[in-house]
Amino acid sequence: MAQLFTRTASNAFRVLIVLALFSVVGAGVLGYAWSRADATWNVGKPADQPVPFRHDLHAGSLGIDCRYCHSTVERAADAGMPSAQTCMTCHSQVWVGASVLEPVRSSFALGQPLTWTSVHRLPDFAYFNHAAHVTNGVACETCHGRVDQMTKTVKTQTLSMGWCLDCHRDPAPHLRPREAVFVMGYKPHGQDLPEDIQAFYREASRRLTSCNTCHR
Ligand code: HEC
Ligand code: HEC
Ligand code: HEC
Ligand code: HEC
Ligand code: HEC
């Protein structure tokens, strides 16, 4: 059979085809790495806030309970955010004239809510519920990290669907006793849970991984 292309031309084509294949694979690998990268999910990135509130000071050094400011966390889907009035219970006594607290004082005086910028925000099509977790032994620290050591509040987990599912497939090892849910620096000992509770979660994982648990 007569040759359609010269030998050099066919070799050039072969090289091109191999290069094309490599770039498809390469783009796939890069895309995957990008979607898994923490930076894609704003992990570790603080947001601008009206007041330089510090958890390390209030929840850490002063040891104020999370529920003092996030008061609906055990009862509702939303954790709840503190009103200016909550801040003023102390800041009408300490740091009274401080200029950094001016937004708190004026919001208190005008009866308008403080507008904090969210660092954790799921898209509207995903449903989350604090009470369901907090009352079943999933700790703040497991999802939000060492908040008591943060000068600026940041995400420590991606909050991606893959991250939710990693736990929902087998929650037991991540669980704590109820009284340790608000404790920081505690090691979960879910591995030692009684067999009936472990069995409950093996059974529950089917419900917990079904799409309409989180997409309703
Ligand atoms: C239970 C009491 C208490 C509550 C409630 C409280 N604070 Fe404070 N806060 C303090 C104390 C005490 C200090 C001063 C600590 C010091 O001087 O070392 C302080 C300091 C501050 C500072 C200055 C921090 C710095 O060193 O830069 C800011 C800003 C602040 N608080 C904001 C707030 C906001 C906003 C709220 C409400 C969401 C709030 N605080 C609620 C007790 C409280
Ligand atoms: C004195 C009040 C106060 C206490 C106590 C407190 N927080 Fe907060 N928290 C705030 C304020 C004000 C903000 C908004 C500003 C910011 O993000 O730093 C906030 C924001 C957060 C956020 C980010 C919310 C978002 O929009 O994404 C998380 C998570 C959080 N707090 C967890 C905790 C945990 C866990 C504890 C207990 C260890 C705790 N907080 C104790 C006042 C408080
Ligand atoms: C299972 C993981 C998980 C646990 C446990 C958890 N959170 Fe959250 N938290 C989230 C997610 C996800 C969001 C974003 C929710 C959204 O956008 O709908 C969030 C948002 C928040 C917010 C922002 C306000 C709001 O409700 O949207 C605060 C404040 C907060 N969490 C505090 C806490 C505190 C305090 C605890 C412990 C008592 C806690 N969280 C336990 C995952 C968790
Ligand atoms: C560290 C473990 C863990 C992580 C992370 C986690 N969950 Fe859960 N989730 C649980 C456990 C445990 C339950 C409660 C199961 C029970 O006892 O009914 C639960 C329950 C729920 C429920 C209520 C289910 C029902 O049947 O009412 C929803 C909704 C939910 N999770 C959504 C999410 C979403 C969305 C995320 C990610 C943003 C997430 N969860 C991350 C452990 C986790
Ligand atoms: C435990 C909770 C949970 C379950 C179960 C779950 N999802 Fe999700 N899903 C999420 C969260 C949170 C997000 C938003 C974060 C993200 O995009 O990863 C999401 C995002 C998505 C997206 C948008 C992805 C994107 O890249 O924007 C699709 C599509 C989706 N889910 C489909 C499904 C399907 C299909 C199932 C059942 C097989 C399912 N989900 C089960 C929590 C869940």
Side-chain angles (χ1 to χ4, degrees), residues 58-132:
H58 294 86
S61 317
L62 296 173
I64 310 173
D65 191 283
C66 312
R67 285 163 288 188
Y68 188 82
C69 294
H70 306 296
S71 58
T72 56
V73 78
E74 289 176 297
R75 287 182 272 128
D78 280 339
M81 293 301 270
S83 64
Q85 190 174 1
T86 308
C87 311
M88 288 302 276
T89 48
C90 295
H91 288 294
S92 56
Q93 322 281 332
V94 286
W95 278 55
V96 178
S99 57
V100 286
L101 287 168
E102 178 48 37
V104 176
R105 287 191 299 270
S106 60
S107 141
F108 180 64
L110 301 171
Q112 280 168 352
L114 279 161
T115 41
W116 303 104
T117 315
S118 302
V119 276
H120 303 77
R121 182 50 67 215
L122 295 179
D124 285 343
F125 57 77
Y127 174 76
F128 180 78
N129 187 314
H130 273 97

Side-chain angles (χ1 to χ4, degrees), residues 38 41-45 119-120 140-147 150 152-159 163:
D38 282 357
W41 299 92
N42 289 330
V43 170
K45 227 162 83 183
V119 276
H120 303 77
C140 313
E141 184 185 2
T142 306
C143 300
H144 294 300
R146 291 303 298 266
V147 174
M150 292 178 188
K152 290 187 168 183
T153 316
V154 294
K155 257 163 89 168
T156 58
Q157 306 291 335
T158 59
L159 308 191
W163 174 77

